[in-house]
Amino acid sequence: MTGELNDILERLEVAVAPLQGEPRELAGGITNRNYRVTLGGSDYVVRRPGKDTELLGIDRTAELLANETAAALGIAPAVAAIVGDCLVTRFVSCRSLQHDELVGAVGEIALALRAFHDSRAQLPTRFSVPQLLEDYAAIAQRRGASLPASYADARAAAGRIAAALGHGDERPCHNDLLAGNLIRAEEDGRTLLVDWEYAGMGDPRFDLGNLSVNNEFDEATDERLLHVYYGARPSDSQRAALRLMRVLSDAREGAWGVVQGAISELDFDFAGYAREHFERLRAAVGQGEFAEWLASAASDRGTDGQAA
């Protein structure tokens, strides 16, 4: 064990219970390192934040509040302790979801997101993709990285999308709905949302588009997602907003890959990650429907994206 991890475990022994056995590193994750530890006969997950993760727009206080709120709603593992910047949650025996299982659970996930958005939890940070793009660009350049040409395309697309959607009622949002952050609890079969470190106050429609594009939902699945989330057949403007948020999600992911390439010490192809998302963004913006999505979303700017 490293000295830092050993210090964390010693503090957990005081705060929770005596350590039993050695910590076991969990696979997955491209920002932090996660460990399964046994304390007093119960298992927990300890997250060690990666280097300079605050530069990614992560607010650890917001993460804690979001996770606690979600756990109270029954859609996330319970928080057990906080040691410095390390969040400790109850270990849930679980497995990742295959694509067809995610599609099958889309209604359950929609209701979970709606419950979290409606919780009205007040998180101490704001999540705005256009602002993140500016922040990430400045950080990457300060670290000596060059921005790819596609970064300018992402900025332009994000600006057009933000102008079309306007500023609605901000809600607490997850903002990082990758497949790996959705798990199936083995005990009761519930689908749980994990990894709340990018949680912040923002547009709840981003969670819908982020979930959709990251998990490669087709139009039929998107339709079910929207129908369950809004509790009614979705409008054309709601469909358009989801398509635009898929593009905005790729803008964020691509920019995230650029800044991670400049600051992270993890062995991961961040440049390739950024390129993949920027290419998907460019393909979506190049479709003739993109202008139609902008117009349709702008026509419904009097709403906040929530159902009445």
Short mmCIF file of all heavy atoms in Angstrom, two decimals, residues 2 5 7 23 26-27 40 55 69 87 104 139 147 152 160 165 189 193 203 205 215 220 223 225 233 238 265 295:
data_model
loop_
_atom_site.label_atom_id
_atom_site.label_comp_id
_atom_site.label_asym_id
_atom_site.label_seq_id
_atom_site.Cartn_x
_atom_site.Cartn_y
_atom_site.Cartn_z
N THR A 2 0.43 2.29 -0.68
CA THR A 2 1.14 3.55 -0.64
C THR A 2 0.92 4.21 0.71
O THR A 2 -0.02 3.88 1.45
CB THR A 2 0.62 4.49 -1.73
OG1 THR A 2 -0.74 4.85 -1.44
CG2 THR A 2 0.69 3.83 -3.10
N LEU A 5 -2.60 5.86 0.85
CA LEU A 5 -3.70 4.93 1.05
C LEU A 5 -3.67 4.38 2.47
O LEU A 5 -4.73 4.22 3.11
CB LEU A 5 -3.62 3.79 0.04
CG LEU A 5 -4.71 2.71 0.15
CD1 LEU A 5 -6.10 3.32 0.00
CD2 LEU A 5 -4.49 1.63 -0.91
N ASP A 7 -2.63 5.87 5.11
CA ASP A 7 -3.14 6.92 6.00
C ASP A 7 -4.66 6.97 5.96
O ASP A 7 -5.33 7.12 6.99
CB ASP A 7 -2.55 8.27 5.59
CG ASP A 7 -3.08 9.42 6.44
OD1 ASP A 7 -2.84 9.41 7.66
OD2 ASP A 7 -3.75 10.31 5.88
N PRO A 23 -6.74 -4.08 1.08
CA PRO A 23 -7.64 -3.45 0.10
C PRO A 23 -7.46 -4.08 -1.27
O PRO A 23 -6.35 -4.47 -1.64
CB PRO A 23 -7.22 -1.98 0.11
CG PRO A 23 -5.81 -2.00 0.60
CD PRO A 23 -5.72 -3.14 1.57
N LEU A 26 -10.31 -1.97 -7.53
CA LEU A 26 -11.40 -2.29 -8.44
C LEU A 26 -11.04 -1.81 -9.84
O LEU A 26 -10.50 -0.71 -10.02
CB LEU A 26 -12.70 -1.63 -7.97
CG LEU A 26 -13.21 -2.07 -6.59
CD1 LEU A 26 -14.40 -1.22 -6.17
CD2 LEU A 26 -13.59 -3.55 -6.61
N ALA A 27 -11.36 -2.62 -10.82
CA ALA A 27 -11.08 -2.26 -12.21
C ALA A 27 -12.05 -1.19 -12.69
O ALA A 27 -13.13 -1.00 -12.13
CB ALA A 27 -11.18 -3.51 -13.08
N GLY A 40 -14.58 -3.99 9.84
CA GLY A 40 -15.51 -4.53 10.82
C GLY A 40 -16.50 -5.52 10.26
O GLY A 40 -17.65 -5.58 10.69
N LEU A 55 -9.37 20.39 -11.34
CA LEU A 55 -9.26 21.10 -12.61
C LEU A 55 -10.30 20.61 -13.62
O LEU A 55 -10.53 21.27 -14.64
CB LEU A 55 -7.85 20.95 -13.19
CG LEU A 55 -6.70 21.50 -12.33
CD1 LEU A 55 -5.36 21.24 -13.02
CD2 LEU A 55 -6.89 22.98 -12.05
N THR A 69 -28.08 12.47 -1.39
CA THR A 69 -29.45 12.68 -1.86
C THR A 69 -29.93 11.48 -2.66
O THR A 69 -31.06 10.98 -2.46
CB THR A 69 -29.53 13.94 -2.74
OG1 THR A 69 -29.14 15.08 -1.97
CG2 THR A 69 -30.93 14.14 -3.28
N LEU A 87 -14.22 9.71 -0.85
CA LEU A 87 -15.58 9.32 -0.53
C LEU A 87 -15.62 7.82 -0.28
O LEU A 87 -15.07 7.04 -1.06
CB LEU A 87 -16.51 9.68 -1.69
CG LEU A 87 -17.99 9.39 -1.48
CD1 LEU A 87 -18.58 10.31 -0.42
CD2 LEU A 87 -18.76 9.57 -2.80
N GLY A 104 -33.43 -2.18 -21.68
CA GLY A 104 -34.59 -2.68 -20.96
C GLY A 104 -34.88 -1.91 -19.68
O GLY A 104 -36.04 -1.84 -19.24
N ILE A 139 -6.88 25.48 -19.16
CA ILE A 139 -6.04 24.60 -18.34
C ILE A 139 -5.08 23.80 -19.22
O ILE A 139 -3.88 23.70 -18.93
CB ILE A 139 -6.91 23.66 -17.49
CG1 ILE A 139 -7.69 24.46 -16.45
CG2 ILE A 139 -6.06 22.59 -16.81
CD1 ILE A 139 -8.84 23.69 -15.82
N LEU A 147 -4.53 22.53 -28.50
CA LEU A 147 -5.92 22.14 -28.74
C LEU A 147 -6.07 21.62 -30.16
O LEU A 147 -5.59 22.25 -31.11
CB LEU A 147 -6.85 23.33 -28.54
CG LEU A 147 -6.86 23.99 -27.16
CD1 LEU A 147 -7.89 25.11 -27.12
CD2 LEU A 147 -7.15 22.97 -26.05
N ALA A 152 -12.41 23.80 -31.66
CA ALA A 152 -13.15 24.99 -32.08
C ALA A 152 -14.54 24.62 -32.58
O ALA A 152 -15.52 25.35 -32.33
CB ALA A 152 -12.38 25.73 -33.17
N ARG A 160 -24.09 27.39 -30.09
CA ARG A 160 -25.36 27.39 -30.81
C ARG A 160 -26.44 26.65 -30.03
O ARG A 160 -27.60 27.07 -29.98
CB ARG A 160 -25.18 26.76 -32.20
CG ARG A 160 -24.29 27.54 -33.14
CD ARG A 160 -24.12 26.84 -34.47
NE ARG A 160 -25.37 26.84 -35.24
CZ ARG A 160 -25.53 26.18 -36.38
NH1 ARG A 160 -24.53 25.43 -36.86
NH2 ARG A 160 -26.69 26.23 -37.01
N LEU A 165 -31.37 26.54 -26.56
CA LEU A 165 -32.07 25.99 -25.40
C LEU A 165 -32.35 27.04 -24.34
O LEU A 165 -33.30 26.91 -23.57
CB LEU A 165 -31.24 24.85 -24.79
CG LEU A 165 -31.10 23.60 -25.66
CD1 LEU A 165 -30.17 22.60 -24.99
CD2 LEU A 165 -32.47 22.95 -25.89
N GLY A 189 -31.96 -6.52 -7.62
CA GLY A 189 -32.14 -6.26 -9.04
C GLY A 189 -32.32 -4.80 -9.41
O GLY A 189 -32.60 -4.49 -10.57
N LEU A 193 -27.25 4.27 -9.69
CA LEU A 193 -26.37 5.23 -10.33
C LEU A 193 -25.20 5.49 -9.39
O LEU A 193 -25.40 5.77 -8.20
CB LEU A 193 -27.09 6.54 -10.62
CG LEU A 193 -28.04 6.60 -11.83
CD1 LEU A 193 -29.17 5.59 -11.70
CD2 LEU A 193 -28.61 8.01 -11.99
N ASP A 203 -28.92 21.90 -16.44
CA ASP A 203 -30.11 21.59 -17.23
C ASP A 203 -30.37 20.09 -17.16
O ASP A 203 -29.55 19.30 -17.60
CB ASP A 203 -29.89 22.03 -18.68
CG ASP A 203 -31.14 21.98 -19.53
OD1 ASP A 203 -32.00 21.10 -19.27
OD2 ASP A 203 -31.26 22.80 -20.45
N ARG A 205 -32.08 18.22 -18.89
CA ARG A 205 -32.11 17.59 -20.19
C ARG A 205 -30.74 17.07 -20.61
O ARG A 205 -30.64 16.18 -21.45
CB ARG A 205 -32.67 18.57 -21.24
CG ARG A 205 -34.13 18.94 -21.01
CD ARG A 205 -34.60 20.04 -21.91
NE ARG A 205 -33.91 21.30 -21.62
CZ ARG A 205 -34.20 22.47 -22.21
NH1 ARG A 205 -35.16 22.52 -23.12
NH2 ARG A 205 -33.54 23.57 -21.90
N ASN A 215 -24.65 5.61 -24.20
CA ASN A 215 -25.08 4.22 -24.23
C ASN A 215 -25.68 3.82 -25.58
O ASN A 215 -26.31 2.78 -25.70
CB ASN A 215 -26.05 3.96 -23.09
CG ASN A 215 -25.38 4.14 -21.74
OD1 ASN A 215 -24.59 3.32 -21.32
ND2 ASN A 215 -25.67 5.25 -21.06
N ALA A 220 -36.02 4.62 -30.85
CA ALA A 220 -37.11 3.99 -30.10
C ALA A 220 -36.82 4.04 -28.60
O ALA A 220 -37.72 4.28 -27.78
CB ALA A 220 -37.31 2.55 -30.56
N GLU A 223 -37.26 7.51 -27.34
CA GLU A 223 -38.69 7.82 -27.20
C GLU A 223 -39.23 7.30 -25.87
O GLU A 223 -39.98 7.99 -25.17
CB GLU A 223 -39.47 7.22 -28.37
CG GLU A 223 -40.92 7.66 -28.46
CD GLU A 223 -41.08 9.08 -29.00
OE1 GLU A 223 -40.07 9.71 -29.37
OE2 GLU A 223 -42.23 9.56 -29.03
N LEU A 225 -37.41 6.69 -23.17
CA LEU A 225 -36.76 7.49 -22.14
C LEU A 225 -37.53 8.78 -21.90
O LEU A 225 -37.84 9.14 -20.74
CB LEU A 225 -35.32 7.81 -22.57
CG LEU A 225 -34.54 8.82 -21.73
CD1 LEU A 225 -34.31 8.30 -20.32
CD2 LEU A 225 -33.20 9.14 -22.41
N ARG A 233 -46.44 11.52 -23.86
CA ARG A 233 -45.79 11.43 -25.17
C ARG A 233 -44.96 12.68 -25.39
O ARG A 233 -45.47 13.81 -25.25
CB ARG A 233 -46.84 11.29 -26.26
CG ARG A 233 -46.27 11.04 -27.66
CD ARG A 233 -47.40 10.74 -28.65
NE ARG A 233 -46.87 10.46 -29.98
CZ ARG A 233 -46.67 11.40 -30.90
NH1 ARG A 233 -46.95 12.68 -30.63
NH2 ARG A 233 -46.20 11.07 -32.09
N GLN A 238 -39.03 18.55 -27.22
CA GLN A 238 -38.34 17.69 -26.24
C GLN A 238 -37.44 16.68 -26.95
O GLN A 238 -36.32 16.41 -26.49
CB GLN A 238 -39.35 16.99 -25.34
CG GLN A 238 -40.02 17.93 -24.36
CD GLN A 238 -41.24 17.33 -23.69
OE1 GLN A 238 -41.83 16.35 -24.18
NE2 GLN A 238 -41.65 17.91 -22.57
N GLU A 265 -2.19 11.30 -14.72
CA GLU A 265 -1.05 10.38 -14.65
C GLU A 265 -1.47 8.95 -14.98
O GLU A 265 -0.64 8.04 -14.94
CB GLU A 265 -0.43 10.43 -13.26
CG GLU A 265 0.19 11.78 -12.91
CD GLU A 265 0.79 11.81 -11.52
OE1 GLU A 265 0.34 11.01 -10.67
OE2 GLU A 265 1.70 12.62 -11.28
N ALA A 295 -33.95 24.89 -34.21
CA ALA A 295 -35.17 25.69 -34.37
C ALA A 295 -36.30 25.15 -33.50
O ALA A 295 -37.03 25.91 -32.86
CB ALA A 295 -35.60 25.71 -35.84
#
